[in-house]
Amino acid sequence: MNLADWSLHFYRLPYGRKVVWSNAIESSGVFALLKLVSQDGVAGLAEGTIKSTWSGVSPRSLQAALEDVILPAVKHVDLGDPGALSMCFSQIPENRLAKGLVDSACWTLRAAAAKQPLWKLLEGEPAVDLCWTVTRAQPSAMADEAAESCGRYGFRTLKVKGGQGVKTDLEALAAIRAAVGGSVELYVDANSAYPRAEALDYVRRIAEAGATIAEDPCPLAPDAAFEALQSACGIPILVDASCTSVRDAELYAARGARAVSLKPGRIGISESLAIARRFKKTALGIYAESALGTLVNSQLPATLAAEQSFFLTMKSQVVHPVPQIRDGRLELPDEPDVSRLVDWVAVKRHSL
């Protein structure tokens, strides 16, 4: 299957509230939708999140990377062959988001060509457990948000954003636990906020407060310090920001890493699959996807609750129907051709 045509669409979707990340405060999200069409007329697509503090790209720079570098390189590559595409990309440095978009779009194209949903092609399940991400705020506000999301959608796992200071993080965990009860599992993601020398004490304290996973408690590297931290802290360290390639995964696995965050929205499905093979515990991490990105990325198999519910924060979507979450689970589409789920009128309405 060779590339016959492609299109790139940018749109902005408003949030229902202000969202505080570790490196940005937002009231909306900007997205890129890449559509590829093969010479046989089969379509595949993927969504990318455009945040300068996350992906380091703008709409113009992503457009240029795809138009000038990535897509010309894949023009004569068989898009149905993951190995051939990977070999092509290995000759192109940088451009992680652009390559990831093309890679994921090729996976949805292969599913459409095979006339089976992507989750089945990847030997996954038709439904996935999701968790809700409780972003930074005052502990009482975080507790209210946690209770509302668990009550409304039935989430059984919460990802609590830490990094507001140890005292505040512990207060937030206590308030959330009181609000949702003891049956909801709590992960804590500090977004590398604490010094490495303080990480062990921090992880032990959040574990005592009920956390079962600690994601990026400090700046991590696959070294002796990480190995000592994972060995001593008692709960899995979920490696996220510093594991974006198979090579990173191999180095962390050699140092005893027990869990890793997969972000196909950041690096593509193929690289995420290769990373996942090296760990027993894997989580689909948040990349602030809309419902469209969620429907694509959630089809990648993982073992922990997927952090793919952020689309609920948005007031508008570019898919129809909008996916529903019940009892903390997302039913994945049976439709092999994901492009048929896109509301192209909404894409145009929200275009930049």
Side-chain angles (χ1 to χ4, degrees):
M1 292 189 292
N2 293 110
L3 181 64
D5 195 14
W6 66 278
S7 59
L8 185 63
H9 313 265
F10 295 101
Y11 44 92
R12 182 186 298 275
L13 300 179
Y15 301 159
R17 58 176 175 82
K18 180 176 69 175
V19 174
V20 179
W21 305 110
S22 64
N23 52 16
I25 300 174
E26 296 181 320
S27 58
S28 62
V30 176
F31 304 91
L33 189 166
L34 175 66
K35 181 180 180 181
L36 306 180
V37 182
S38 73
Q39 291 177 333
D40 300 326
V42 180
L45 57 79
E47 180 187 77
T49 303
I50 308 297
K51 297 186 192 299
S52 60
T53 55
W54 289 19
S55 57
V57 303
S58 69
R60 286 199 302 166
S61 69
L62 180 62
Q63 172 100 26
L66 287 165
E67 190 167 2
D68 297 345
V69 180
I70 308 300
L71 291 171
V74 306
K75 185 175 181 180
H76 300 294
V77 174
D78 180 1
L79 303 183
D81 184 347
L85 188 66
S86 178
M87 180 64 70
C88 173
F89 284 164
S90 71
Q91 307 302 311
I92 304 172
E94 308 299 334
N95 295 295
R96 185 170 65 192
L97 181 61
K99 290 190 288 188
L101 273 172
V102 173
D103 175 74
S104 293
C106 286
W107 275 105
T108 60
L109 187 151
R110 292 171 200 136
K115 300 186 184 326
Q116 59 179 317
L118 180 58
W119 59 264
K120 186 173 290 187
L121 190 69
L122 296 176
E123 300 181 347
E125 298 295 330
V128 294
D129 289 322
L130 300 186
C131 70
W132 176 253
T133 303
V134 184
T135 53
R136 292 179 175 183
Q138 293 295 319
S140 60
M142 295 175 74
D144 289 343
E145 179 185 332
E148 196 279 333
S149 63
C150 289
R152 184 173 181 180
Y153 299 106
F155 292 114
R156 296 182 291 274
T157 305
L158 295 171
K159 169 74 71 67
V160 180
K161 287 293 186 177
Q164 299 191 91
V166 176
K167 181 176 181 293
T168 301
D169 288 357
L170 293 174
E171 289 175 353
L173 284 174
I176 290 169
R177 177 59 75 205
V180 302
S183 62
V184 176
E185 191 169 3
L186 302 179
Y187 304 165
V188 176
D189 178 7
N191 289 113
S192 306
Y194 299 106
R196 299 188 86 184
E198 299 175 11
L200 178 56
D201 178 67
Y202 177 72
V203 175
R204 283 175 170 169
R205 294 181 73 177
I206 62 172
E208 290 172 359
T212 58
I213 296 279
E215 180 176 344
D216 284 1
C218 64
L220 299 176
D223 55 16
F226 172 83
E227 190 170 8
L229 174 63
Q230 179 59 97
S231 177
C233 69
I235 62 174
I237 303 295
L238 184 67
V239 182
D240 178 17
S242 56
C243 189
T244 59
S245 68
V246 174
R247 179 56 178 160
D248 293 336
E250 290 172 343
L251 292 172
Y252 271 108
R255 289 292 185 175
R258 297 166 57 187
V260 68
S261 180
L262 308 175
K263 291 193 174 176
R266 175 171 64 185
I267 61 175
I269 290 175
S270 292
E271 195 80 356
S272 298
L273 283 169
I275 291 172
R277 296 186 190 105
R278 287 154 173 83
F279 296 90
K280 291 183 178 180
K281 290 183 180 291
T282 56
L284 279 172
I286 188 173
Y287 213 60
E289 294 92 341
S290 79
L292 174 59
T294 293
L295 287 176
V296 174
N297 297 336
S298 294
Q299 302 194 52
L300 177 72
T303 64
L304 300 174
E307 199 179 357
Q308 290 286 312
S309 58
F310 184 74
F311 73 91
L312 296 172
T313 306
M314 300 170 196
K315 297 168 67 175
S316 302
Q317 299 294 342
V318 295
V319 294
H320 184 77
V322 176
Q324 302 296 308
I325 298 174
R326 297 183 178 89
D327 297 323
R329 291 175 63 80
L330 173 67
E331 296 287 336
L332 296 174
D334 287 326
E335 172 59 62
D337 185 352
V338 181
S339 70
R340 294 179 179 173
L341 304 178
V342 177
D343 183 344
W344 294 102
V345 174
V347 171
K348 184 176 182 179
R349 183 169 64 249
H350 295 289
S351 65
L352 298 184

